[in-house]
Amino acid sequence: MPELPEVETVRRQLAQEIVGEVVSLIEVRREGCFVGNPDRARTERITKVFRRGKYLFIVFQSGRGLTVHLKMTGRLVIEKDWYETALHTRVVMRMVSGRSLYFWDTRAFGYVKEEEEIEKAQEKVRARLGPEPGELTEIEFLRKLQKTGRKVKDALLDQTVLAGVGNIYANDALHLAQILPTRKANTITLGECRKLLLAIREVLKRGLETNGASDNSYLDAYGEKGGYQNEFRVYGKTKGECPVCGLKLIYGKVGGRGTWWCTTCQG
Ligand SMILES: [Zn+2]
């Protein structure tokens, strides 16, 4: 599932590619993947591309716009012929310049939503989500963790606690911070909290530097793979070894999600 680094990679690339373009037509190939009236986007000029958590906002000059969520398997790809006829291309945005932006999604949980007021849509999402990991202090983070007896990994995946962190980066950050994923969030000390926040920022930064993790379906806006899957610390490493001590990693489910950890380093 695309997380903050993947969605931010797509945002940066789209900001380069589609700002200044004028929409000529939106083609909806699967009902449910587009919310609203696609005809209202005609003749709109794109002025900005924003991101909040895992949400993207394509801003039109008129104040209208589109909210996009890639969910599990969504991609936004600019100008790649293969997507023109691909089975899982759900929405196509045609531009006056002749270019096209494809929303492709095998599972079809993702969506493009037409917004009458994109600024308001953005504010609504912002109000619903917690801060991003770069926006809060360790004390603020500690207060959030102290409020819940849930497992710390569950708390990290809760977008109302922190926005943008998903399963990949939560697994790797907990390993880097040497904290057991099953620890109760309200037993985390200030020192551990500081370490954890720094670890989250570090893995997200590395994810962004490598254009995200393409272990599964994710590709960037140019249809290219990211590189973070080559740097996973523990994520996805069933029967793998701890990159620090070399012992076998443990695999289990925490909050229904695949979780990998080292009992020695994260004990
Ligand atoms: Zn270890």
Side-chain angles (χ1 to χ4, degrees):
M1 182 176 194
E3 305 177 28
L4 193 155
E6 290 76 27
V7 181
E8 177 61 16
T9 298
V10 171
R11 187 202 68 77
R12 290 179 180 182
Q13 294 172 336
L14 288 183
Q16 289 278 328
E17 298 294 333
I18 65 169
V19 167
E21 293 272 8
V22 176
V23 181
S24 60
L25 174 73
I26 291 184
E27 225 176 275
V28 179
R29 296 193 183 170
R30 171 152 171 165
E31 294 295 319
C33 285
F34 191 93
V35 183
N37 181 354
D39 292 337
R40 281 195 207 125
R42 279 174 195 253
T43 74
E44 291 282 6
R45 181 178 294 276
I46 299 164
T47 55
K48 261 181 216 160
V49 187
F50 280 143
R51 181 192 58 76
R52 187 72 197 165
K54 303 175 190 173
Y55 291 80
L56 279 171
F57 303 89
I58 298 175
V59 179
F60 297 152
Q61 200 161 31
S62 64
R64 310 181 74 93
L66 302 169
T67 301
V68 184
H69 201 302
L70 302 174
K71 294 280 177 172
M72 303 279 289
T73 54
R75 293 178 193 162
L76 270 178
V77 180
I78 185 101
E79 271 197 305
K80 275 246 165 177
D81 286 347
W82 183 80
Y83 291 91
E84 190 58 46
T85 52
L87 178 65
H88 301 298
T89 295
R90 310 300 188 182
V91 178
V92 186
M93 187 160 83
R94 308 284 186 199
M95 261 79 80
V96 169
S97 66
R99 305 170 86 199
S100 298
L101 178 67
Y102 302 96
F103 175 66
W104 177 96
D105 188 355
T106 50
R107 303 283 292 271
F109 293 140
Y111 61 84
V112 180
K113 186 168 176 263
E114 178 230 337
E115 307 283 2
E116 222 175 289
E117 291 177 88
I118 193 71
E119 202 67 43
K120 266 202 182 146
Q122 231 186 115
E123 278 164 23
K124 252 171 128 177
V125 165
R126 188 182 283 262
R128 205 151 39 78
L129 300 180
E132 295 199 349
E135 297 172 339
L136 80 173
T137 66
E138 59 207 45
I139 300 285
E140 288 165 337
F141 188 35
L142 184 69
R143 284 200 194 110
K144 282 173 170 285
L145 295 178
Q146 280 172 340
K147 275 189 205 147
T148 175
R150 285 182 298 172
K151 296 179 177 108
V152 63
K153 179 161 175 266
D154 287 343
L156 293 186
L157 294 182
D158 181 345
Q159 300 299 296
T160 67
V161 173
L162 273 187
V165 179
N167 204 32
I168 293 175
Y169 298 97
N171 266 288
D172 276 9
L174 284 162
H175 181 266
L176 182 58
Q178 299 178 295
I179 295 169
L180 206 58
T182 50
R183 267 280 292 283
K184 289 218 187 317
N186 56 13
T187 67
I188 301 284
T189 65
L190 178 59
E192 287 172 321
C193 179
R194 178 181 306 134
K195 238 172 139 180
L196 181 56
L197 189 56
L198 289 174
I200 292 168
R201 289 174 183 164
E202 177 61 29
V203 295
L204 291 177
K205 180 170 153 261
R206 203 46 213 146
L208 192 54
E209 283 167 356
T210 55
N211 282 356
S214 293
D215 62 312
N216 188 9
S217 178
Y218 166 77
L219 296 179
D220 69 18
Y222 297 115
E224 304 287 338
K225 278 189 173 188
Y228 187 72
Q229 67 281 4
N230 303 320
E231 299 186 16
F232 286 156
R233 298 178 65 86
V234 295
Y235 176 81
K237 294 197 162 172
T238 307
K239 292 185 185 159
E241 287 157 8
C242 171
V244 174
C245 72
L247 289 177
K248 245 199 180 130
L249 293 173
I250 306 293
Y251 169 76
K253 294 256 177 176
V254 176
R257 306 294 303 275
T259 306
W260 296 263
W261 68 91
C262 173
T263 43
T264 312
C265 297
Q266 296 169 264

